[in-house]
Amino acid sequence: MSTDKLNSQILNAAGQRGERGYAVEKISTVLLVMIICAGLLAGCKPADNKAATDRQVRQAATVAGEQKGQFPVTFSNFDEKGARVDITFTKAPDRVISLTQITTELMLDLELEDKLIGVANFDSPVLPRHAAKLAKIPVLAAQYPSKEQLIAQNPELVVSWRMPFLTEDALGSAKDWRDRGIQVYLLRLAQNLEGVNTLETYYKEIEDFGKMFDIRDRAGAYIAKQQNRIAAIQSRLGGVDRKVRVMMLIVLDGEKFGVWGQDHFVADMISKAGGETLVAKSSPINQEIIVEQNPDILICAAYAIKGMNHETVLTRLQENKALQNVAAVKNNRILVVDFADINTGGVRVVDTIETFAKAFYPELLQ
């Protein structure tokens, strides 16, 4: 399948729901030019011109909220098996391939689309605010590209979770790529190696991207906006007497389920929205446990790659005879979200927490 055709298929899958994006401020080129020109017109001595201009550039960057050139920078990252690895950047990478929707969307929200030379692996429909940007970026594969495809792109950096690096017949080890001179950054959120992941883990990921691409202030402002939105949601839930009891399901077929428990990142999202995650451990789960726990609300993930769209997921739960007396099914309190909304963080996190809160306490957040 051609890149253009694959690109078109993914972009045409874009959902229609309204997504509230937050524009990330750019450094003002006009401001920069004006400050530099003002200094030159003021009649600096020739010997002082370079120093004055450098100082003015730094001042302009500071005014515009961006400090530049803080390299080298080293991160404590991981290999695909979870062993810690230090990775160092001597400059911001210019040729990046993203192998997860999570990292692709984060780079687009941080206005780093000019760094992306290829993307892959879309679990969910494209966000409308990203469609125009993605139309200009080659889609290398519906899931993961081959080694040969990646090498042919001549990337400086591959950002991903660990899955495509776990087997030799996929991409091989992250070390192999690093030995080739191609840096690999693996999402810490996908590994649970630093204890149970929370929103703080997600913010650290954004901070890493800020350092990696030399946009620390931009990344910091992005985090602050998300934190402020969550604080606003929680302030409206101050009068809640009893937390709703929630179960987060992955629907595998009509009778087989996976559950994400208190050891998963989504549990912190549920908590921020005023809910209580019932199950301790993420694992496969049978219907009897769902009946026994009797959750007030079921949250279920639609997984586009597996053909599990919103309607299919909802129908399989509603028509499951064993679940008819479960409070969430009986009271029609089933919330279906996209897989990318709840899987290991990403730019959809705050929108999804708001969606959770409205579903949990409609009387407080409508």
Side-chain angles (χ1 to χ4, degrees):
M1 183 182 294
S2 70
T3 294
D4 289 344
K5 187 173 182 182
L6 186 56
N7 228 345
S8 177
Q9 285 183 0
I10 290 176
L11 293 174
N12 286 340
Q16 298 302 312
R17 64 196 178 105
E19 299 288 346
R20 291 190 294 175
Y22 285 90
V24 183
E25 294 185 0
K26 300 178 180 177
I27 297 177
S28 171
T29 303
V30 175
L31 176 62
L32 186 60
V33 171
M34 287 176 64
I35 293 175
I36 293 172
C37 289
L40 294 175
L41 291 173
C44 296
K45 295 177 182 178
D48 294 337
N49 277 351
K50 185 178 185 303
T53 301
D54 288 346
R55 183 174 62 255
Q56 289 154 355
V57 169
R58 290 195 300 272
Q59 290 171 343
T62 301
V63 170
E66 205 73 270
Q67 293 286 357
K68 310 298 287 182
Q70 300 184 38
F71 286 97
V73 61
T74 298
F75 302 95
S76 177
N77 201 238
F78 312 96
D79 67 15
E80 67 281 357
K81 295 180 181 178
R84 288 191 180 275
V85 177
D86 285 343
I87 58 174
T88 299
F89 293 83
T90 57
K91 70 177 189 67
D94 292 316
R95 297 181 60 79
V96 183
I97 291 175
S98 170
L99 298 183
T100 78
Q101 188 163 357
I102 297 163
T103 49
T104 298
E105 291 179 343
L106 179 58
M107 289 187 68
L108 295 179
D109 262 15
L110 293 175
E111 297 195 348
L112 296 169
E113 60 270 18
D114 59 322
K115 306 281 189 179
L116 284 166
I117 60 170
V119 296
N121 192 33
F122 285 74
D123 302 310
S124 303
V126 172
L127 294 176
R129 70 176 183 264
H130 292 156
K133 292 179 178 180
L134 277 171
K136 301 174 183 178
I137 302 169
V139 178
L140 303 180
Q143 277 196 283
Y144 300 120
S146 67
K147 292 180 185 178
E148 293 73 22
Q149 282 177 292
L150 282 191
I151 292 170
Q153 300 301 316
N154 191 30
E156 295 176 310
L157 169 67
V158 177
V159 290
S160 179
W161 48 36
R162 63 179 178 167
M163 293 306 295
F165 297 93
L166 281 172
T167 60
E168 185 58 37
D169 60 353
L171 295 180
S173 73
K175 182 179 183 301
D176 289 344
W177 291 92
R178 289 163 178 157
D179 288 346
R180 287 189 183 100
I182 298 171
Q183 195 55 273
V184 175
Y185 179 95
L186 298 181
L187 290 171
R188 60 164 63 85
L189 272 165
Q191 304 191 59
N192 249 31
L193 296 175
E194 299 176 329
V196 177
N197 289 324
T198 66
L199 262 70
E200 291 305 315
T201 319
Y202 165 55
Y203 296 145
K204 288 178 185 176
E205 212 91 75
I206 300 173
E207 288 174 356
D208 279 2
F209 274 69
K211 295 172 186 175
M212 194 186 313
F213 293 101
D214 205 13
I215 54 164
R216 286 170 168 81
D217 295 329
R218 196 185 308 177
Y222 188 84
I223 291 169
K225 286 179 179 177
Q226 299 203 47
Q227 291 172 327
N228 289 340
R229 286 183 64 195
I230 291 171
I233 293 167
Q234 293 187 306
S235 71
R236 297 175 66 182
L237 299 177
V240 171
D241 295 323
R242 172 188 172 274
K243 290 186 175 182
V244 296
R245 302 166 67 255
V246 182
M247 190 174 285
M248 173 71 230
L249 294 180
I250 306 296
V251 181
L252 304 176
D253 64 23
E255 298 180 356
K256 294 180 181 178
F257 307 92
V259 64
W260 282 347
Q262 295 162 11
D263 59 347
H264 193 279
F265 175 78
V266 75
D268 193 41
M269 295 173 63
I270 290 169
S271 176
K272 293 291 191 294
E276 174 190 1
T277 298
L278 292 179
V279 178
K281 298 284 187 181
S282 301
S283 66
I285 191 172
N286 59 40
Q287 298 174 148
E288 288 73 19
I289 294 176
I290 300 174
V291 173
E292 178 186 328
Q293 293 288 336
N294 193 29
D296 299 317
I297 291 182
L298 285 171
I299 304 174
C300 308
Y303 195 16
I305 288 177
K306 302 296 184 183
M308 298 295 291
N309 60 31
H310 285 236
E311 184 178 353
T312 301
V313 170
L314 187 59
T315 299
R316 290 191 179 185
L317 284 168
Q318 290 174 332
E319 294 181 354
N320 186 310
K321 293 181 180 179
L323 302 180
Q324 293 307 301
N325 289 323
V326 172
V329 177
K330 185 166 58 178
N331 297 323
N332 196 29
R333 299 193 75 183
I334 301 171
L335 176 64
V336 183
V337 297
D338 286 330
F339 187 75
D341 292 346
I342 44 82
N343 185 45
T344 64
V347 305
R348 304 170 183 232
V349 161
V350 179
D351 286 339
T352 304
I353 290 172
E354 190 169 71
T355 297
F356 285 177
K358 288 179 178 178
F360 297 170
Y361 308 103
E363 70 283 1
L364 295 178
L365 282 102
Q366 291 300 334

mmCIF file of all heavy atoms in Angstrom, residues 68-106:
data_model
loop_
_atom_site.group_PDB
_atom_site.id
_atom_site.type_symbol
_atom_site.label_atom_id
_atom_site.label_comp_id
_atom_site.label_asym_id
_atom_site.label_seq_id
_atom_site.Cartn_x
_atom_site.Cartn_y
_atom_site.Cartn_z
ATOM 1 N N LYS A 68 17.396 28.529 24.852
ATOM 2 C CA LYS A 68 17.904 27.621 23.826
ATOM 3 C C LYS A 68 19.304 27.122 24.156
ATOM 4 O O LYS A 68 20.013 27.699 24.943
ATOM 5 C CB LYS A 68 17.935 28.313 22.458
ATOM 6 C CG LYS A 68 16.639 29.009 22.061
ATOM 7 C CD LYS A 68 15.480 28.060 21.944
ATOM 8 C CE LYS A 68 15.562 27.186 20.724
ATOM 9 N NZ LYS A 68 14.392 26.289 20.589
ATOM 10 N N GLY A 69 19.673 26.008 23.492
ATOM 11 C CA GLY A 69 21.054 25.565 23.464
ATOM 12 C C GLY A 69 21.568 24.904 24.725
ATOM 13 O O GLY A 69 22.752 24.978 25.014
ATOM 14 N N GLN A 70 20.713 24.237 25.517
ATOM 15 C CA GLN A 70 21.148 23.620 26.765
ATOM 16 C C GLN A 70 21.535 22.164 26.514
ATOM 17 O O GLN A 70 20.816 21.240 26.885
ATOM 18 C CB GLN A 70 20.059 23.751 27.819
ATOM 19 C CG GLN A 70 19.721 25.213 28.107
ATOM 20 C CD GLN A 70 18.713 25.371 29.225
ATOM 21 O OE1 GLN A 70 18.747 24.646 30.206
ATOM 22 N NE2 GLN A 70 17.809 26.314 29.080
ATOM 23 N N PHE A 71 22.665 21.970 25.862
ATOM 24 C CA PHE A 71 23.162 20.641 25.523
ATOM 25 C C PHE A 71 24.625 20.534 25.961
ATOM 26 O O PHE A 71 25.316 21.556 26.074
ATOM 27 C CB PHE A 71 23.053 20.405 24.006
ATOM 28 C CG PHE A 71 21.644 20.159 23.548
ATOM 29 C CD1 PHE A 71 20.883 21.204 23.031
ATOM 30 C CD2 PHE A 71 21.076 18.898 23.648
ATOM 31 C CE1 PHE A 71 19.585 20.993 22.628
ATOM 32 C CE2 PHE A 71 19.778 18.686 23.243
ATOM 33 C CZ PHE A 71 19.020 19.729 22.732
ATOM 34 N N PRO A 72 25.126 19.295 26.192
ATOM 35 C CA PRO A 72 24.434 18.006 26.060
ATOM 36 C C PRO A 72 23.438 17.778 27.196
ATOM 37 O O PRO A 72 23.555 18.382 28.260
ATOM 38 C CB PRO A 72 25.577 17.001 26.113
ATOM 39 C CG PRO A 72 26.629 17.678 26.937
ATOM 40 C CD PRO A 72 26.533 19.136 26.601
ATOM 41 N N VAL A 73 22.480 16.881 26.972
ATOM 42 C CA VAL A 73 21.501 16.524 27.984
ATOM 43 C C VAL A 73 21.395 15.004 28.027
ATOM 44 O O VAL A 73 21.373 14.344 26.990
ATOM 45 C CB VAL A 73 20.135 17.184 27.700
ATOM 46 C CG1 VAL A 73 19.563 16.737 26.365
ATOM 47 C CG2 VAL A 73 19.141 16.901 28.815
ATOM 48 N N THR A 74 21.372 14.449 29.244
ATOM 49 C CA THR A 74 21.333 12.992 29.433
ATOM 50 C C THR A 74 20.065 12.595 30.168
ATOM 51 O O THR A 74 19.652 13.251 31.129
ATOM 52 C CB THR A 74 22.568 12.518 30.227
ATOM 53 O OG1 THR A 74 23.754 12.829 29.479
ATOM 54 C CG2 THR A 74 22.520 11.017 30.475
ATOM 55 N N PHE A 75 19.447 11.506 29.706
ATOM 56 C CA PHE A 75 18.223 10.979 30.317
ATOM 57 C C PHE A 75 18.480 9.579 30.858
ATOM 58 O O PHE A 75 19.221 8.801 30.254
ATOM 59 C CB PHE A 75 17.091 10.890 29.295
ATOM 60 C CG PHE A 75 16.742 12.192 28.648
ATOM 61 C CD1 PHE A 75 17.291 12.535 27.428
ATOM 62 C CD2 PHE A 75 15.882 13.075 29.264
ATOM 63 C CE1 PHE A 75 16.982 13.733 26.825
ATOM 64 C CE2 PHE A 75 15.569 14.278 28.676
ATOM 65 C CZ PHE A 75 16.118 14.615 27.458
ATOM 66 N N SER A 76 17.829 9.259 31.962
ATOM 67 C CA SER A 76 17.781 7.873 32.426
ATOM 68 C C SER A 76 16.596 7.220 31.724
ATOM 69 O O SER A 76 15.445 7.495 32.031
ATOM 70 C CB SER A 76 17.603 7.821 33.947
ATOM 71 O OG SER A 76 17.486 6.492 34.385
ATOM 72 N N ASN A 77 16.894 6.378 30.756
ATOM 73 C CA ASN A 77 15.860 5.709 29.986
ATOM 74 C C ASN A 77 15.973 4.203 30.204
ATOM 75 O O ASN A 77 16.562 3.769 31.193
ATOM 76 C CB ASN A 77 15.972 6.109 28.510
ATOM 77 C CG ASN A 77 14.688 5.895 27.730
ATOM 78 O OD1 ASN A 77 14.663 5.173 26.746
ATOM 79 N ND2 ASN A 77 13.601 6.528 28.154
ATOM 80 N N PHE A 78 15.383 3.401 29.312
ATOM 81 C CA PHE A 78 15.326 1.963 29.499
ATOM 82 C C PHE A 78 15.615 1.253 28.188
ATOM 83 O O PHE A 78 15.494 1.833 27.109
ATOM 84 C CB PHE A 78 13.933 1.551 29.980
ATOM 85 C CG PHE A 78 13.409 2.377 31.109
ATOM 86 C CD1 PHE A 78 12.569 3.452 30.887
ATOM 87 C CD2 PHE A 78 13.780 2.082 32.407
ATOM 88 C CE1 PHE A 78 12.097 4.223 31.928
ATOM 89 C CE2 PHE A 78 13.321 2.853 33.461
ATOM 90 C CZ PHE A 78 12.480 3.925 33.231
ATOM 91 N N ASP A 79 15.959 -0.035 28.300
ATOM 92 C CA ASP A 79 15.906 -0.855 27.108
ATOM 93 C C ASP A 79 14.558 -1.568 27.102
ATOM 94 O O ASP A 79 13.736 -1.378 28.011
ATOM 95 C CB ASP A 79 17.090 -1.830 27.023
ATOM 96 C CG ASP A 79 17.079 -2.906 28.102
ATOM 97 O OD1 ASP A 79 16.033 -3.101 28.769
ATOM 98 O OD2 ASP A 79 18.113 -3.570 28.283
ATOM 99 N N GLU A 80 14.311 -2.389 26.081
ATOM 100 C CA GLU A 80 12.995 -3.009 25.930
ATOM 101 C C GLU A 80 12.675 -4.010 27.033
ATOM 102 O O GLU A 80 11.504 -4.342 27.263
ATOM 103 C CB GLU A 80 12.881 -3.668 24.556
ATOM 104 C CG GLU A 80 13.788 -4.859 24.323
ATOM 105 C CD GLU A 80 15.228 -4.464 23.993
ATOM 106 O OE1 GLU A 80 15.515 -3.243 23.889
ATOM 107 O OE2 GLU A 80 16.054 -5.371 23.848
ATOM 108 N N LYS A 81 13.693 -4.477 27.775
ATOM 109 C CA LYS A 81 13.464 -5.432 28.863
ATOM 110 C C LYS A 81 13.373 -4.754 30.218
ATOM 111 O O LYS A 81 13.214 -5.405 31.244
ATOM 112 C CB LYS A 81 14.565 -6.491 28.863
ATOM 113 C CG LYS A 81 14.539 -7.358 27.609
ATOM 114 C CD LYS A 81 15.646 -8.395 27.638
ATOM 115 C CE LYS A 81 15.611 -9.242 26.367
ATOM 116 N NZ LYS A 81 16.725 -10.238 26.338
ATOM 117 N N GLY A 82 13.508 -3.441 30.230
ATOM 118 C CA GLY A 82 13.333 -2.699 31.472
ATOM 119 C C GLY A 82 14.610 -2.300 32.173
ATOM 120 O O GLY A 82 14.559 -1.657 33.227
ATOM 121 N N ALA A 83 15.771 -2.675 31.643
ATOM 122 C CA ALA A 83 17.038 -2.278 32.260
ATOM 123 C C ALA A 83 17.298 -0.798 31.995
ATOM 124 O O ALA A 83 17.060 -0.292 30.896
ATOM 125 C CB ALA A 83 18.183 -3.114 31.695
ATOM 126 N N ARG A 84 17.802 -0.105 32.998
ATOM 127 C CA ARG A 84 18.064 1.323 32.852
ATOM 128 C C ARG A 84 19.231 1.570 31.907
ATOM 129 O O ARG A 84 20.242 0.862 31.943
ATOM 130 C CB ARG A 84 18.355 1.955 34.207
ATOM 131 C CG ARG A 84 17.113 2.066 35.080
ATOM 132 C CD ARG A 84 17.375 2.923 36.297
ATOM 133 N NE ARG A 84 16.188 3.008 37.119
ATOM 134 C CZ ARG A 84 15.208 3.883 36.930
ATOM 135 N NH1 ARG A 84 15.283 4.755 35.940
ATOM 136 N NH2 ARG A 84 14.160 3.907 37.724
ATOM 137 N N VAL A 85 19.084 2.590 31.090
ATOM 138 C CA VAL A 85 20.114 2.981 30.135
ATOM 139 C C VAL A 85 20.174 4.505 30.109
ATOM 140 O O VAL A 85 19.135 5.166 30.013
ATOM 141 C CB VAL A 85 19.795 2.463 28.714
ATOM 142 C CG1 VAL A 85 20.835 2.946 27.721
ATOM 143 C CG2 VAL A 85 19.710 0.950 28.696
ATOM 144 N N ASP A 86 21.356 5.067 30.210
ATOM 145 C CA ASP A 86 21.522 6.511 30.045
ATOM 146 C C ASP A 86 21.668 6.828 28.562
ATOM 147 O O ASP A 86 22.465 6.201 27.861
ATOM 148 C CB ASP A 86 22.751 7.014 30.796
ATOM 149 C CG ASP A 86 22.522 7.089 32.295
ATOM 150 O OD1 ASP A 86 21.350 7.064 32.716
ATOM 151 O OD2 ASP A 86 23.515 7.162 33.050
ATOM 152 N N ILE A 87 20.886 7.776 28.078
ATOM 153 C CA ILE A 87 21.005 8.208 26.691
ATOM 154 C C ILE A 87 21.297 9.703 26.669
ATOM 155 O O ILE A 87 20.738 10.463 27.456
ATOM 156 C CB ILE A 87 19.741 7.880 25.870
ATOM 157 C CG1 ILE A 87 18.493 8.527 26.470
ATOM 158 C CG2 ILE A 87 19.545 6.376 25.763
ATOM 159 C CD1 ILE A 87 17.243 8.344 25.609
ATOM 160 N N THR A 88 22.185 10.102 25.786
ATOM 161 C CA THR A 88 22.650 11.493 25.745
ATOM 162 C C THR A 88 22.413 12.095 24.372
ATOM 163 O O THR A 88 22.623 11.450 23.347
ATOM 164 C CB THR A 88 24.153 11.564 26.079
ATOM 165 O OG1 THR A 88 24.355 11.059 27.405
ATOM 166 C CG2 THR A 88 24.667 12.996 26.010
ATOM 167 N N PHE A 89 21.957 13.342 24.376
ATOM 168 C CA PHE A 89 21.782 14.109 23.148
ATOM 169 C C PHE A 89 22.745 15.290 23.175
ATOM 170 O O PHE A 89 22.793 16.035 24.159
ATOM 171 C CB PHE A 89 20.344 14.619 23.020
ATOM 172 C CG PHE A 89 19.327 13.537 22.832
ATOM 173 C CD1 PHE A 89 18.820 12.838 23.920
ATOM 174 C CD2 PHE A 89 18.877 13.196 21.562
ATOM 175 C CE1 PHE A 89 17.889 11.832 23.751
ATOM 176 C CE2 PHE A 89 17.949 12.200 21.380
ATOM 177 C CZ PHE A 89 17.455 11.510 22.474
ATOM 178 N N THR A 90 23.497 15.465 22.113
ATOM 179 C CA THR A 90 24.404 16.608 22.003
ATOM 180 C C THR A 90 23.749 17.775 21.283
ATOM 181 O O THR A 90 24.274 18.880 21.277
ATOM 182 C CB THR A 90 25.690 16.208 21.269
ATOM 183 O OG1 THR A 90 25.353 15.685 19.981
ATOM 184 C CG2 THR A 90 26.447 15.154 22.061
ATOM 185 N N LYS A 91 22.591 17.501 20.654
ATOM 186 C CA LYS A 91 21.795 18.549 20.017
ATOM 187 C C LYS A 91 20.361 18.044 19.891
ATOM 188 O O LYS A 91 20.101 16.844 20.052
ATOM 189 C CB LYS A 91 22.341 18.897 18.621
ATOM 190 C CG LYS A 91 22.143 17.811 17.583
ATOM 191 C CD LYS A 91 22.635 18.269 16.216
ATOM 192 C CE LYS A 91 22.244 17.289 15.115
ATOM 193 N NZ LYS A 91 20.779 17.232 14.882
ATOM 194 N N ALA A 92 19.452 18.938 19.591
ATOM 195 C CA ALA A 92 18.063 18.523 19.377
ATOM 196 C C ALA A 92 17.966 17.707 18.090
ATOM 197 O O ALA A 92 18.462 18.143 17.048
ATOM 198 C CB ALA A 92 17.158 19.748 19.287
ATOM 199 N N PRO A 93 17.360 16.507 18.139
ATOM 200 C CA PRO A 93 17.250 15.698 16.926
ATOM 201 C C PRO A 93 16.322 16.342 15.906
ATOM 202 O O PRO A 93 15.295 16.925 16.260
ATOM 203 C CB PRO A 93 16.672 14.373 17.435
ATOM 204 C CG PRO A 93 16.024 14.704 18.737
ATOM 205 C CD PRO A 93 16.784 15.849 19.320
ATOM 206 N N ASP A 94 16.692 16.242 14.637
ATOM 207 C CA ASP A 94 15.910 16.839 13.550
ATOM 208 C C ASP A 94 15.144 15.820 12.725
ATOM 209 O O ASP A 94 14.215 16.191 12.014
ATOM 210 C CB ASP A 94 16.835 17.630 12.612
ATOM 211 C CG ASP A 94 17.399 18.869 13.276
ATOM 212 O OD1 ASP A 94 16.625 19.577 13.951
ATOM 213 O OD2 ASP A 94 18.609 19.123 13.135
ATOM 214 N N ARG A 95 15.538 14.546 12.786
ATOM 215 C CA ARG A 95 14.903 13.499 11.984
ATOM 216 C C ARG A 95 14.380 12.420 12.931
ATOM 217 O O ARG A 95 15.134 11.586 13.421
ATOM 218 C CB ARG A 95 15.882 12.909 10.960
ATOM 219 C CG ARG A 95 16.367 13.935 9.935
ATOM 220 C CD ARG A 95 17.314 13.301 8.922
ATOM 221 N NE ARG A 95 16.670 12.217 8.182
ATOM 222 C CZ ARG A 95 15.839 12.385 7.158
ATOM 223 N NH1 ARG A 95 15.539 13.617 6.741
ATOM 224 N NH2 ARG A 95 15.306 11.350 6.534
ATOM 225 N N VAL A 96 13.067 12.482 13.205
ATOM 226 C CA VAL A 96 12.463 11.648 14.240
ATOM 227 C C VAL A 96 11.378 10.770 13.632
ATOM 228 O O VAL A 96 10.563 11.227 12.817
ATOM 229 C CB VAL A 96 11.856 12.511 15.364
ATOM 230 C CG1 VAL A 96 11.293 11.634 16.479
ATOM 231 C CG2 VAL A 96 12.893 13.491 15.905
ATOM 232 N N ILE A 97 11.347 9.507 14.052
ATOM 233 C CA ILE A 97 10.258 8.593 13.703
ATOM 234 C C ILE A 97 9.524 8.235 14.992
ATOM 235 O O ILE A 97 10.143 7.857 15.989
ATOM 236 C CB ILE A 97 10.785 7.323 13.017
ATOM 237 C CG1 ILE A 97 11.327 7.664 11.625
ATOM 238 C CG2 ILE A 97 9.682 6.267 12.894
ATOM 239 C CD1 ILE A 97 11.969 6.500 10.910
ATOM 240 N N SER A 98 8.210 8.369 14.973
ATOM 241 C CA SER A 98 7.372 8.041 16.129
ATOM 242 C C SER A 98 6.599 6.765 15.835
ATOM 243 O O SER A 98 5.866 6.687 14.836
ATOM 244 C CB SER A 98 6.402 9.185 16.434
ATOM 245 O OG SER A 98 5.449 8.777 17.405
ATOM 246 N N LEU A 99 6.728 5.772 16.733
ATOM 247 C CA LEU A 99 6.069 4.487 16.532
ATOM 248 C C LEU A 99 4.862 4.289 17.438
ATOM 249 O O LEU A 99 4.359 3.178 17.569
ATOM 250 C CB LEU A 99 7.071 3.342 16.754
ATOM 251 C CG LEU A 99 8.266 3.299 15.797
ATOM 252 C CD1 LEU A 99 9.127 2.085 16.076
ATOM 253 C CD2 LEU A 99 7.813 3.314 14.342
ATOM 254 N N THR A 100 4.386 5.352 18.073
ATOM 255 C CA THR A 100 3.147 5.266 18.844
ATOM 256 C C THR A 100 2.314 6.514 18.588
ATOM 257 O O THR A 100 2.846 7.602 18.345
ATOM 258 C CB THR A 100 3.384 5.172 20.371
ATOM 259 O OG1 THR A 100 3.695 6.479 20.880
ATOM 260 C CG2 THR A 100 4.512 4.222 20.711
ATOM 261 N N GLN A 101 1.014 6.353 18.670
ATOM 262 C CA GLN A 101 0.123 7.502 18.528
ATOM 263 C C GLN A 101 0.361 8.498 19.659
ATOM 264 O O GLN A 101 0.260 9.713 19.472
ATOM 265 C CB GLN A 101 -1.335 7.034 18.516
ATOM 266 C CG GLN A 101 -2.335 8.119 18.173
ATOM 267 C CD GLN A 101 -3.678 7.560 17.774
ATOM 268 O OE1 GLN A 101 -3.868 6.351 17.691
ATOM 269 N NE2 GLN A 101 -4.638 8.421 17.510
ATOM 270 N N ILE A 102 0.709 7.987 20.830
ATOM 271 C CA ILE A 102 0.938 8.836 21.994
ATOM 272 C C ILE A 102 2.060 9.839 21.733
ATOM 273 O O ILE A 102 1.907 11.046 21.947
ATOM 274 C CB ILE A 102 1.295 7.969 23.220
ATOM 275 C CG1 ILE A 102 0.132 7.064 23.588
ATOM 276 C CG2 ILE A 102 1.690 8.826 24.417
ATOM 277 C CD1 ILE A 102 0.533 5.917 24.489
ATOM 278 N N THR A 103 3.213 9.333 21.266
ATOM 279 C CA THR A 103 4.349 10.224 21.039
ATOM 280 C C THR A 103 4.124 11.123 19.827
ATOM 281 O O THR A 103 4.548 12.278 19.823
ATOM 282 C CB THR A 103 5.643 9.413 20.867
ATOM 283 O OG1 THR A 103 5.431 8.358 19.918
ATOM 284 C CG2 THR A 103 6.082 8.810 22.184
ATOM 285 N N THR A 104 3.427 10.614 18.818
ATOM 286 C CA THR A 104 3.111 11.446 17.650
ATOM 287 C C THR A 104 2.254 12.632 18.066
ATOM 288 O O THR A 104 2.539 13.789 17.716
ATOM 289 C CB THR A 104 2.386 10.622 16.578
ATOM 290 O OG1 THR A 104 3.243 9.563 16.128
ATOM 291 C CG2 THR A 104 2.000 11.493 15.394
ATOM 292 N N GLU A 105 1.199 12.362 18.840
ATOM 293 C CA GLU A 105 0.299 13.437 19.250
ATOM 294 C C GLU A 105 0.994 14.437 20.165
ATOM 295 O O GLU A 105 0.740 15.652 20.066
ATOM 296 C CB GLU A 105 -0.940 12.843 19.927
ATOM 297 C CG GLU A 105 -1.843 12.095 18.949
ATOM 298 C CD GLU A 105 -3.067 11.477 19.595
ATOM 299 O OE1 GLU A 105 -3.091 11.335 20.839
ATOM 300 O OE2 GLU A 105 -4.000 11.120 18.853
ATOM 301 N N LEU A 106 1.864 13.956 21.038
ATOM 302 C CA LEU A 106 2.588 14.878 21.908
ATOM 303 C C LEU A 106 3.485 15.799 21.092
ATOM 304 O O LEU A 106 3.521 17.017 21.325
ATOM 305 C CB LEU A 106 3.424 14.104 22.939
ATOM 306 C CG LEU A 106 4.258 14.964 23.889
ATOM 307 C CD1 LEU A 106 3.384 15.940 24.664
ATOM 308 C CD2 LEU A 106 5.060 14.083 24.849
#
